[in-house]
């Protein structure tokens, strides 16, 4: 019984972190682009890991949920934010979001 409560708490915590990352992408309450990017990715990764561990079973639950949430997070970063930056290059669907980070 206690392990089920821990798993439930991890799933809920994971969802809270994922929602916090999405809220940053949507509302941009962290105004500095670099800090906002770090907040987005940190909360999203913590959320995915917590959720996956909270599923209680590595295969197929944790792997499947990790892949699904990762696809959603990366897709959201590409579609609505300037937060998908790989090797100094910003990837975004909106041309305004592809502009370099302001100094």
């Amino acid at each position: 019984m206690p392990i089920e409560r821990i798993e439930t708490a991890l799933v809920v915590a994971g969802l809270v972190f994922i929602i916090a990352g999405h809220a940053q992408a949507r509302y941009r309450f962290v105004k500095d682009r670099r800090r906002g990017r770090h907040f987005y990715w940190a909360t999203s990764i913590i959320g995915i890991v917590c959720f996956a561990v909270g599923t209680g079973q590595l295969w197929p639950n944790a792997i499947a949920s990790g892949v699904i949430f990762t696809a959603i997070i990366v897709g959201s970063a590409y579609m609505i934010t300037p937060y998908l930056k790989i090797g100094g290059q910003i990837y975004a669907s909106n041309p305004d979001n592809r502009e370099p980070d302001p100094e």
Side-chain angles (χ1 to χ4, degrees):
M1 187 74 166
I3 193 78
E4 293 167 355
R5 287 185 183 172
I6 293 171
E7 290 172 346
T8 302
L10 283 169
V11 166
V12 170
L15 288 174
V16 167
F17 276 103
I18 290 169
I19 290 169
H22 179 71
Q24 169 59 29
R26 178 70 175 100
Y27 300 110
R28 305 220 177 121
F29 47 85
V30 177
K31 299 297 181 197
D32 179 56
R33 189 186 265 192
R34 177 176 286 147
R35 290 181 59 219
R37 180 183 299 118
H38 290 239
F39 180 85
Y40 177 80
W41 288 110
T43 56
S44 297
I45 290 168
I46 291 168
I48 291 169
V49 169
C50 286
F51 191 92
V53 171
T55 61
Q57 195 174 12
L58 180 62
W59 178 256
N61 299 352
I63 302 296
S65 65
V67 168
I68 290 168
F69 276 122
T70 299
I72 291 169
I73 298 298
V74 172
S76 293
Y78 177 77
M79 296 300 292
I80 63 174
T81 72
Y83 296 158
L84 187 58
K85 185 174 183 178
I86 302 170
Q89 176 72 30
I90 296 174
Y91 297 93
S93 64
N94 184 344
D96 293 335
N97 287 337
R98 288 187 221 133
E99 295 297 320
D101 291 341
E103 293 300 321

